[in-house]
Amino acid sequence: MTRPATRLQMQLKRWTLLLGVLQISVGCLIGFIPPAAVEWFRGIVMAHIEFTANGVLMVVFAFLIKEMTLKPIALRCWFVTLQLGTWSNGAAGLVAAFIGRSSPLMPTLNEKFPPPLGTDSLLVSGLLQLCGLTIILALLLTLYGLLRSRPI
């Protein structure tokens, strides 16, 4: 037996599912961008992988909402950080693809597939830092909410 979900939990579950499936769809559509359309095609590959993987993560997390015990403000923070984190990850690859610059935060990718215009994009670095911070916050809130829940 599970406890009944609150109205806020049900609303956020629906939005998390919808936005997760949208993110998977965006990731798949990005895969159709031809190499000649961008400065650095490896950024498209990155965006494709990150959007689809993070969309799946978001869909899975939607099913955890009902299992978490968080106050409404914490649940809203969880939703916002999850959205910012998952979307900014793929956005970093998309931006890098179109501007032809990446970030020093991607050393292995830069070494194997050097971007044509360098590795010094503040925008790409900022998106990756936003992603890292917000994903960690969303994960910590998820863990906290799951640890606070009590089995019935």
Side-chain angles (χ1 to χ4, degrees), residues 3 9 12 16 56-71 73-83 85-86 133-150:
R3 46 191 165 93
Q9 284 175 315
L12 292 181
T16 304
V56 171
L57 174 75
M58 203 183 318
V59 168
V60 170
F61 272 37
F63 292 107
L64 294 177
I65 291 175
K66 199 172 156 187
E67 305 303 319
M68 296 189 299
T69 302
L70 292 172
K71 293 183 179 180
I73 188 72
L75 196 55
R76 285 183 179 95
C77 286
W78 171 85
F79 177 78
V80 169
T81 57
L82 182 64
Q83 295 304 316
T86 58
L133 176 65
T134 53
I135 286 284
I136 291 297
L137 288 173
L139 288 168
L140 290 174
L141 283 167
T142 303
L143 284 171
Y144 179 70
L146 291 172
L147 288 170
R148 288 193 64 220
S149 67
R150 291 182 175 75

Side-chain angles (χ1 to χ4, degrees), residues 15-26 55-56 58-59 87:
W15 278 106
T16 304
L17 284 169
L18 286 170
L19 292 170
V21 172
L22 175 64
Q23 192 169 142
I24 295 166
S25 302
V26 167
V56 171
M58 203 183 318
V59 168
W87 286 96

Side-chain angles (χ1 to χ4, degrees), residues 4-145:
T6 66
R7 180 178 162 98
L8 178 60
Q9 284 175 315
M10 294 309 296
Q11 288 173 338
L12 292 181
K13 178 181 179 181
R14 176 173 166 68
W15 278 106
T16 304
L17 284 169
L18 286 170
L19 292 170
V21 172
L22 175 64
Q23 192 169 142
I24 295 166
S25 302
V26 167
C28 290
L29 291 172
I30 284 172
F32 288 114
I33 297 174
V38 295
E39 291 288 328
W40 188 47
F41 186 67
R42 202 61 191 176
I44 290 298
V45 175
M46 175 187 163
H48 165 71
I49 293 168
E50 297 303 337
F51 277 133
T52 54
N54 284 314
V56 171
L57 174 75
M58 203 183 318
V59 168
V60 170
F61 272 37
F63 292 107
L64 294 177
I65 291 175
K66 199 172 156 187
E67 305 303 319
M68 296 189 299
T69 302
L70 292 172
K71 293 183 179 180
I73 188 72
L75 196 55
R76 285 183 179 95
C77 286
W78 171 85
F79 177 78
V80 169
T81 57
L82 182 64
Q83 295 304 316
L84 284 172
T86 58
W87 286 96
S88 61
N89 199 2
L94 198 56
V95 168
F98 281 100
I99 67 172
R101 293 182 186 278
S102 70
S103 165
L105 299 174
M106 304 187 298
T108 304
L109 185 59
N110 293 335
E111 180 184 322
K112 300 289 182 194
F113 306 96
L117 301 176
T119 61
D120 58 353
S121 171
L122 290 177
L123 180 56
V124 175
S125 290
L127 285 167
L128 291 172
Q129 289 169 341
L130 176 66
C131 168
L133 176 65
T134 53
I135 286 284
I136 291 297
L137 288 173
L139 288 168
L140 290 174
L141 283 167
T142 303
L143 284 171
Y144 179 70

